[in-house]
Amino acid sequence: QVQLVESGGGSVQAGGSLRLACAASGVTYVGACMAWFRQAPGKERQGVATINSDGATIYAGSVKGRFTISKDNAKNTLYLQMNSLKPEDTAMYYCAAKLGRYCYGFGGFDYWGQGSKVTVSS
């Protein structure tokens, strides 16, 4: 059974930084595509970043240059470093996984964490 557990959310002022973590059990990051999504109140869920099993990454335009997705295969943990945060980054952030070495975009994810709330104040 795959379980993904996020941590590291919280409240920060605009311009600040936060780092999210996602610990996995039942799936190894070595052979999986991983991603971060977010959903703001009243809005649809959107993809933030993906990372292939080989470490190649893709970012949504709205976070490119500010956010960094990474993983530690030995710890089976996924990270999202968020810098220069803006109020519009306020959302529930979810990590997600799908089996397969390559992500090919933000579709088709099978496993989801419970979410971690990020609030950015102006």
Side-chain angles (χ1 to χ4, degrees), residues 34-84:
M34 304 297 301
W36 287 99
F37 289 78
R38 67 185 182 186
Q39 187 167 21
K43 295 191 176 181
E44 291 188 355
R45 185 175 61 200
Q46 67 170 168
V48 174
T50 65
I51 185 166
N52 289 343
S53 59
D54 62 2
T57 58
I58 291 177
Y59 295 91
S62 58
V63 306
K64 201 169 187 179
R66 300 187 297 121
F67 290 12
T68 302
I69 187 172
S70 63
K71 59 177 180 167
D72 185 328
N73 288 334
K75 295 181 179 179
N76 228 28
T77 300
L78 179 73
Y79 301 100
L80 183 69
Q81 177 66 44
M82 303 182 292
N83 298 329
S84 301

Coordinates of all heavy atoms in Angstrom, one line a residue, residues 34-84:
M34 N 7.5 11.6 -9.5 CA 6.9 12.3 -8.4 C 6.5 13.8 -8.8 O 7.1 14.3 -9.7 CB 7.9 12.3 -7.2 CG 8.4 11.0 -6.8 SD 7.1 9.9 -6.2 CE 6.5 10.9 -4.8
A35 N 5.6 14.3 -8.0 CA 5.2 15.7 -8.4 C 4.6 16.4 -7.1 O 4.2 15.8 -6.2 CB 4.1 15.7 -9.5
W36 N 4.5 17.7 -7.3 CA 3.8 18.5 -6.3 C 2.7 19.2 -7.0 O 2.9 19.7 -8.2 CB 4.7 19.6 -5.7 CG 5.7 19.0 -4.7 CD1 7.0 18.7 -4.9 CD2 5.5 18.7 -3.3 NE1 7.6 18.2 -3.8 CE2 6.7 18.2 -2.8 CE3 4.3 18.8 -2.5 CZ2 6.8 17.8 -1.4 CZ3 4.5 18.4 -1.2 CH2 5.7 17.9 -0.7
F37 N 1.5 19.3 -6.4 CA 0.4 20.0 -6.9 C -0.1 20.9 -5.8 O 0.3 20.8 -4.7 CB -0.8 19.0 -7.2 CG -0.6 18.1 -8.4 CD1 0.3 17.0 -8.3 CD2 -1.2 18.4 -9.6 CE1 0.5 16.2 -9.4 CE2 -1.0 17.6 -10.7 CZ -0.2 16.5 -10.6
R38 N -0.9 21.9 -6.2 CA -1.5 22.8 -5.2 C -2.9 23.1 -5.6 O -3.3 23.1 -6.7 CB -0.7 24.0 -5.0 CG -0.7 25.0 -6.2 CD 0.3 26.1 -5.9 NE 0.3 27.1 -7.0 CZ 1.2 28.1 -7.1 NH1 2.0 28.3 -6.1 NH2 1.1 29.0 -8.1
Q39 N -3.7 23.4 -4.6 CA -5.1 23.8 -4.8 C -5.5 25.0 -3.8 O -5.4 24.8 -2.6 CB -6.1 22.7 -4.6 CG -7.5 23.0 -5.0 CD -8.4 21.8 -5.1 OE1 -8.1 20.7 -4.5 NE2 -9.5 21.9 -5.8
A40 N -5.7 26.1 -4.4 CA -6.1 27.3 -3.7 C -7.7 27.2 -3.4 O -8.4 26.6 -4.2 CB -5.8 28.6 -4.4
P41 N -8.1 27.9 -2.4 CA -9.6 27.9 -2.1 C -10.4 28.4 -3.3 O -10.1 29.4 -3.9 CB -9.7 28.8 -0.9 CG -8.4 28.8 -0.3 CD -7.4 28.6 -1.4
G42 N -11.4 27.6 -3.7 CA -12.2 28.0 -4.8 C -11.6 27.8 -6.2 O -12.2 28.2 -7.2
K43 N -10.4 27.2 -6.3 CA -9.8 27.0 -7.6 C -9.5 25.6 -7.8 O -9.5 24.7 -6.9 CB -8.5 27.8 -7.6 CG -8.7 29.3 -7.5 CD -7.4 30.1 -7.8 CE -7.7 31.6 -7.8 NZ -6.4 32.4 -8.2
E44 N -9.2 25.3 -9.1 CA -8.9 23.9 -9.5 C -7.4 23.6 -9.0 O -6.6 24.4 -8.9 CB -9.0 23.7 -11.0 CG -10.5 23.8 -11.5 CD -10.6 23.4 -12.9 OE1 -9.5 23.2 -13.6 OE2 -11.7 23.3 -13.4
R45 N -7.2 22.3 -8.8 CA -5.9 21.8 -8.5 C -5.0 22.1 -9.7 O -5.4 21.8 -10.9 CB -5.9 20.4 -8.2 CG -4.6 19.8 -7.7 CD -4.7 18.4 -7.3 NE -5.2 17.5 -8.3 CZ -5.8 16.4 -8.2 NH1 -6.0 15.9 -6.9 NH2 -6.2 15.6 -9.2
Q46 N -3.7 22.5 -9.5 CA -2.8 22.7 -10.5 C -1.5 22.1 -10.2 O -1.1 22.0 -9.1 CB -2.6 24.2 -10.8 CG -1.9 25.0 -9.7 CD -1.5 26.4 -10.1 OE1 -1.2 27.2 -9.2 NE2 -1.6 26.8 -11.3
G47 N -0.8 21.6 -11.3 CA 0.5 21.1 -11.1 C 1.5 22.2 -10.9 O 1.5 23.2 -11.4
V48 N 2.5 21.9 -10.0 CA 3.5 22.8 -9.6 C 4.9 22.4 -10.2 O 5.5 23.2 -10.8 CB 3.6 22.9 -8.1 CG1 4.8 23.8 -7.7 CG2 2.3 23.5 -7.5
A49 N 5.2 21.1 -10.0 CA 6.5 20.6 -10.5 C 6.5 19.1 -10.5 O 5.8 18.5 -9.7 CB 7.7 21.1 -9.6
T50 N 7.3 18.6 -11.4 CA 7.5 17.1 -11.5 C 8.9 16.8 -11.5 O 9.8 17.6 -11.9 CB 6.8 16.5 -12.8 OG1 7.5 17.0 -13.9 CG2 5.4 16.8 -12.9
I51 N 9.3 15.6 -11.1 CA 10.6 15.1 -11.1 C 10.6 13.6 -11.6 O 9.9 12.8 -11.0 CB 11.4 15.3 -9.8 CG1 12.8 14.9 -9.9 CG2 10.7 14.5 -8.7 CD1 13.7 15.4 -8.7
N52 N 11.3 13.3 -12.7 CA 11.4 12.0 -13.2 C 12.3 11.1 -12.3 O 13.0 11.6 -11.4 CB 12.1 12.0 -14.6 CG 11.1 12.6 -15.6 OD1 9.9 12.7 -15.4 ND2 11.7 12.9 -16.7
S53 N 12.4 9.8 -12.5 CA 13.2 8.9 -11.7 C 14.7 9.3 -12.0 O 15.5 9.1 -11.1 CB 13.0 7.5 -12.1 OG 13.2 7.3 -13.5
D54 N 15.0 9.9 -13.1 CA 16.4 10.2 -13.4 C 16.8 11.6 -12.9 O 17.9 12.1 -13.1 CB 16.7 10.2 -14.9 CG 15.9 11.1 -15.7 OD1 15.1 11.9 -15.1 OD2 16.0 11.1 -16.9
G55 N 15.8 12.3 -12.2 CA 16.0 13.6 -11.6 C 15.7 14.8 -12.5 O 15.8 15.9 -12.0
A56 N 15.3 14.6 -13.7 CA 14.9 15.7 -14.6 C 13.6 16.3 -14.1 O 12.7 15.6 -13.6 CB 14.6 15.2 -16.0
T57 N 13.5 17.6 -14.2 CA 12.4 18.3 -13.6 C 11.6 19.2 -14.6 O 12.2 19.6 -15.6 CB 12.9 19.2 -12.4 OG1 13.9 20.2 -13.0 CG2 13.5 18.4 -11.3
I58 N 10.4 19.5 -14.2 CA 9.6 20.4 -15.0 C 8.8 21.3 -14.0 O 8.4 20.8 -13.0 CB 8.6 19.7 -15.9 CG1 9.3 19.0 -17.1 CG2 7.6 20.7 -16.5 CD1 8.4 18.2 -18.0
Y59 N 8.7 22.6 -14.3 CA 8.0 23.5 -13.4 C 6.8 24.2 -14.1 O 6.9 24.5 -15.3 CB 8.9 24.5 -12.9 CG 10.0 24.0 -12.0 CD1 11.2 23.6 -12.5 CD2 9.8 23.8 -10.6 CE1 12.2 23.0 -11.7 CE2 10.8 23.2 -9.8 CZ 12.0 22.8 -10.4 OH 13.0 22.3 -9.6
A60 N 5.8 24.5 -13.4 CA 4.8 25.4 -13.9 C 5.4 26.8 -14.0 O 6.3 27.2 -13.2 CB 3.6 25.5 -12.9
G61 N 4.9 27.6 -15.0 CA 5.5 28.9 -15.3 C 5.4 29.8 -14.1 O 6.3 30.7 -13.9
S62 N 4.4 29.7 -13.3 CA 4.1 30.6 -12.2 C 5.1 30.4 -11.0 O 5.3 31.3 -10.2 CB 2.7 30.4 -11.6 OG 2.5 29.1 -11.2
V63 N 5.8 29.3 -11.0 CA 6.8 29.0 -9.9 C 8.2 28.9 -10.4 O 9.1 28.8 -9.6 CB 6.4 27.8 -9.1 CG1 4.9 27.9 -8.6 CG2 6.6 26.5 -9.9
K64 N 8.4 28.9 -11.7 CA 9.8 28.7 -12.2 C 10.7 29.7 -11.7 O 10.4 30.9 -11.8 CB 9.7 28.6 -13.8 CG 10.9 27.9 -14.4 CD 10.6 27.7 -15.9 CE 11.6 26.9 -16.5 NZ 11.4 26.6 -18.0
G65 N 11.9 29.3 -11.3 CA 12.8 30.3 -10.8 C 12.7 30.6 -9.3 O 13.6 31.1 -8.7
R66 N 11.6 30.2 -8.7 CA 11.3 30.4 -7.3 C 11.3 29.1 -6.5 O 11.7 29.0 -5.3 CB 10.0 31.2 -7.1 CG 10.0 32.5 -7.7 CD 8.8 33.3 -7.3 NE 7.5 32.7 -7.7 CZ 6.6 32.3 -6.9 NH1 6.7 32.6 -5.6 NH2 5.5 31.8 -7.4
F67 N 10.7 28.1 -7.1 CA 10.5 26.8 -6.4 C 11.5 25.8 -7.0 O 11.9 25.8 -8.2 CB 9.1 26.2 -6.6 CG 8.0 27.0 -5.9 CD1 8.3 28.2 -5.3 CD2 6.7 26.4 -5.9 CE1 7.2 28.9 -4.7 CE2 5.7 27.1 -5.2 CZ 6.0 28.3 -4.6
T68 N 11.9 24.8 -6.2 CA 12.8 23.7 -6.6 C 12.3 22.4 -6.0 O 12.2 22.3 -4.8 CB 14.3 24.0 -6.1 OG1 14.7 25.2 -6.6 CG2 15.2 22.9 -6.6
I69 N 12.1 21.5 -6.9 CA 11.7 20.1 -6.5 C 12.9 19.3 -6.5 O 13.8 19.4 -7.4 CB 10.6 19.5 -7.5 CG1 10.1 18.2 -7.0 CG2 11.1 19.4 -8.9 CD1 8.9 17.7 -7.8
S70 N 13.0 18.4 -5.5 CA 14.2 17.5 -5.4 C 13.8 16.3 -4.6 O 12.7 16.2 -4.1 CB 15.4 18.2 -4.7 OG 15.0 18.5 -3.4
K71 N 14.6 15.3 -4.6 CA 14.3 14.1 -3.9 C 15.6 13.4 -3.4 O 16.7 13.6 -3.9 CB 13.6 13.0 -4.8 CG 14.3 12.6 -6.0 CD 13.6 11.6 -6.8 CE 14.3 11.2 -8.1 NZ 13.8 9.9 -8.7
D72 N 15.4 12.7 -2.3 CA 16.5 12.0 -1.7 C 16.1 10.5 -1.7 O 15.2 10.0 -1.0 CB 16.7 12.4 -0.2 CG 17.9 11.7 0.4 OD1 18.2 10.6 0.1 OD2 18.5 12.3 1.3
N73 N 16.7 9.8 -2.7 CA 16.2 8.4 -2.9 C 16.6 7.5 -1.7 O 15.8 6.6 -1.4 CB 16.9 7.8 -4.1 CG 16.4 8.4 -5.4 OD1 15.2 8.8 -5.5 ND2 17.2 8.4 -6.5
A74 N 17.7 7.8 -1.0 CA 18.0 7.0 0.1 C 17.0 7.1 1.3 O 16.7 6.2 2.0 CB 19.4 7.4 0.6
K75 N 16.4 8.3 1.4 CA 15.5 8.6 2.4 C 14.0 8.4 1.9 O 13.1 8.5 2.7 CB 15.6 10.0 3.0 CG 16.9 10.2 3.7 CD 17.0 11.6 4.3 CE 18.3 11.9 5.0 NZ 18.4 13.2 5.6
N76 N 13.9 8.2 0.6 CA 12.6 8.1 0.0 C 11.7 9.3 0.3 O 10.5 9.2 0.7 CB 11.9 6.8 0.4 CG 11.3 6.0 -0.7 OD1 11.7 6.1 -1.9 ND2 10.2 5.3 -0.5
T77 N 12.3 10.4 0.2 CA 11.6 11.7 0.5 C 11.7 12.7 -0.6 O 12.8 12.8 -1.2 CB 12.2 12.3 1.8 OG1 12.1 11.4 2.9 CG2 11.5 13.6 2.2
L78 N 10.6 13.3 -0.9 CA 10.5 14.3 -1.9 C 10.4 15.7 -1.2 O 9.9 15.8 -0.1 CB 9.2 14.1 -2.7 CG 8.9 15.1 -3.8 CD1 9.8 14.8 -5.0 CD2 7.4 14.9 -4.3
Y79 N 11.0 16.7 -1.9 CA 11.1 18.0 -1.3 C 10.5 19.1 -2.3 O 10.6 18.9 -3.5 CB 12.5 18.4 -0.9 CG 13.1 17.5 0.1 CD1 14.0 16.5 -0.3 CD2 12.8 17.6 1.5 CE1 14.6 15.7 0.6 CE2 13.4 16.8 2.4 CZ 14.3 15.8 2.0 OH 14.8 14.9 2.9
L80 N 10.0 20.2 -1.7 CA 9.7 21.4 -2.5 C 10.2 22.6 -1.8 O 9.7 22.9 -0.7 CB 8.2 21.5 -2.8 CG 7.9 22.7 -3.7 CD1 8.4 22.4 -5.2 CD2 6.4 22.9 -3.8
Q81 N 11.3 23.1 -2.3 CA 11.9 24.4 -1.7 C 11.2 25.5 -2.3 O 11.2 25.7 -3.6 CB 13.4 24.5 -1.9 CG 14.0 25.7 -1.4 CD 13.9 25.8 0.1 OE1 14.2 24.9 0.9 NE2 13.6 27.0 0.6
M82 N 10.5 26.4 -1.5 CA 9.8 27.5 -2.1 C 10.4 28.8 -1.6 O 10.4 29.0 -0.3 CB 8.3 27.4 -1.6 CG 7.6 26.1 -2.0 SD 5.9 26.0 -1.6 CE 6.0 25.9 0.2
N83 N 10.9 29.6 -2.5 CA 11.5 30.9 -2.1 C 10.7 32.0 -2.8 O 9.9 31.8 -3.7 CB 12.9 30.9 -2.7 CG 13.8 29.9 -2.0 OD1 13.6 29.5 -0.9 ND2 14.8 29.4 -2.8
S84 N 11.0 33.2 -2.3 CA 10.3 34.4 -2.8 C 8.8 34.2 -2.9 O 8.1 34.5 -3.9 CB 10.8 34.8 -4.2 OG 12.2 35.0 -4.1

